[in-house]
Amino acid sequence: MYKLRYSIAVEAVWDALPDEAREELDVAILGVCEDPYAATEPHSDSEPHRRVLTLRHTAVACVVIDGTPGVRRIRIHSIEYLG
Protein backbone atom coordinates (compact mmCIF):
# COMPACT_ATOMS: atom_id res chain seq x y z
CA MET A 1 0.00 0.00 0.00
CA TYR A 2 1.29 3.44 -0.92
CA LYS A 3 0.96 6.38 1.48
CA LEU A 4 -0.96 9.37 0.17
CA ARG A 5 0.45 12.90 0.40
CA TYR A 6 -0.95 16.24 -0.80
CA SER A 7 -0.70 19.93 -0.01
CA ILE A 8 -3.17 22.07 1.88
CA ALA A 9 -4.16 23.67 -1.45
CA VAL A 10 -5.00 20.25 -2.93
CA GLU A 11 -6.96 19.38 0.20
CA ALA A 12 -8.99 22.59 -0.16
CA VAL A 13 -9.91 21.72 -3.75
CA TRP A 14 -10.80 18.15 -2.76
CA ASP A 15 -13.00 19.38 0.09
CA ALA A 16 -14.72 21.90 -2.19
CA LEU A 17 -15.75 19.32 -4.79
CA PRO A 18 -19.46 18.59 -5.14
CA ASP A 19 -20.53 15.50 -3.18
CA GLU A 20 -20.74 13.17 -6.18
CA ALA A 21 -17.29 14.16 -7.45
CA ARG A 22 -15.71 13.91 -4.00
CA GLU A 23 -17.20 10.47 -3.35
CA GLU A 24 -16.01 9.23 -6.76
CA LEU A 25 -12.50 10.53 -6.04
CA ASP A 26 -12.44 9.05 -2.52
CA VAL A 27 -13.13 5.57 -3.89
CA ALA A 28 -10.70 5.90 -6.80
CA ILE A 29 -7.85 7.08 -4.58
CA LEU A 30 -8.07 3.85 -2.59
CA GLY A 31 -7.34 1.96 -5.81
CA VAL A 32 -4.46 4.30 -6.62
CA CYS A 33 -2.91 3.69 -3.21
CA GLU A 34 -3.14 -0.07 -3.75
CA ASP A 35 -1.69 -0.13 -7.29
CA PRO A 36 -0.96 3.30 -8.77
CA TYR A 37 0.39 1.95 -12.05
CA ALA A 38 -2.79 -0.03 -12.75
CA ALA A 39 -5.21 2.68 -11.56
CA THR A 40 -3.65 5.61 -13.45
CA GLU A 41 -2.28 6.50 -16.87
CA PRO A 42 1.28 7.70 -17.48
CA HIS A 43 1.60 11.44 -18.04
CA SER A 44 4.21 10.74 -20.73
CA ASP A 45 6.36 7.87 -21.91
CA SER A 46 9.53 9.62 -20.77
CA GLU A 47 8.30 10.11 -17.19
CA PRO A 48 6.58 6.90 -16.03
CA HIS A 49 6.30 8.05 -12.41
CA ARG A 50 4.19 11.08 -13.34
CA ARG A 51 0.64 9.77 -13.54
CA VAL A 52 -2.88 11.00 -14.31
CA LEU A 53 -6.12 9.71 -12.85
CA THR A 54 -9.07 10.70 -15.02
CA LEU A 55 -12.56 10.19 -13.62
CA ARG A 56 -16.01 11.35 -14.65
CA HIS A 57 -15.82 14.53 -12.58
CA THR A 58 -12.11 15.09 -11.92
CA ALA A 59 -8.60 14.75 -13.28
CA VAL A 60 -5.78 14.23 -10.81
CA ALA A 61 -2.07 14.76 -11.51
CA CYS A 62 0.21 12.77 -9.23
CA VAL A 63 3.68 11.32 -8.83
CA VAL A 64 4.47 7.78 -7.72
CA ILE A 65 7.48 7.63 -5.42
CA ASP A 66 9.20 4.27 -5.17
CA GLY A 67 12.11 5.21 -2.91
CA THR A 68 14.21 3.14 -0.61
CA PRO A 69 12.63 -0.13 0.46
CA GLY A 70 9.47 0.59 2.39
CA VAL A 71 9.10 4.15 1.07
CA ARG A 72 6.18 4.10 -1.33
CA ARG A 73 4.14 7.25 -1.74
CA ILE A 74 1.62 8.90 -4.01
CA ARG A 75 1.92 12.69 -4.12
CA ILE A 76 -1.11 14.50 -5.56
CA HIS A 77 -0.02 17.69 -7.28
CA SER A 78 -3.39 18.91 -8.50
CA ILE A 79 -7.07 18.11 -8.76
CA GLU A 80 -9.06 19.62 -11.61
CA TYR A 81 -12.84 19.60 -11.48
CA LEU A 82 -14.21 18.66 -14.93
CA GLY A 83 -17.84 19.33 -14.18
Side-chain angles (χ1 to χ4, degrees):
M1 181 71 88
Y2 286 73
K3 292 182 180 181
L4 185 62
R5 300 286 188 254
Y6 47 85
S7 68
I8 293 170
V10 168
E11 182 177 19
V13 172
W14 197 337
D15 289 344
L17 291 172
D19 290 342
E20 187 177 1
R22 190 175 55 253
E23 290 168 8
E24 176 188 48
L25 181 55
D26 290 348
V27 170
I29 287 297
L30 290 175
V32 172
C33 288
E34 287 180 14
D35 187 351
Y37 296 103
T40 61
E41 299 289 326
H43 181 265
S44 71
D45 291 336
S46 63
E47 298 177 294
H49 296 292
R50 292 184 67 200
R51 312 294 293 181
V52 178
L53 172 65
T54 305
L55 303 171
R56 197 169 115 224
H57 300 287
T58 57
V60 178
C62 60
V63 174
V64 178
I65 301 165
D66 291 313
T68 58
V71 177
R72 296 168 19 138
R73 294 189 177 110
I74 307 295
R75 175 85 177 161
I76 297 176
H77 282 282
S78 65
I79 298 173
E80 182 178 341
Y81 179 59
L82 304 176

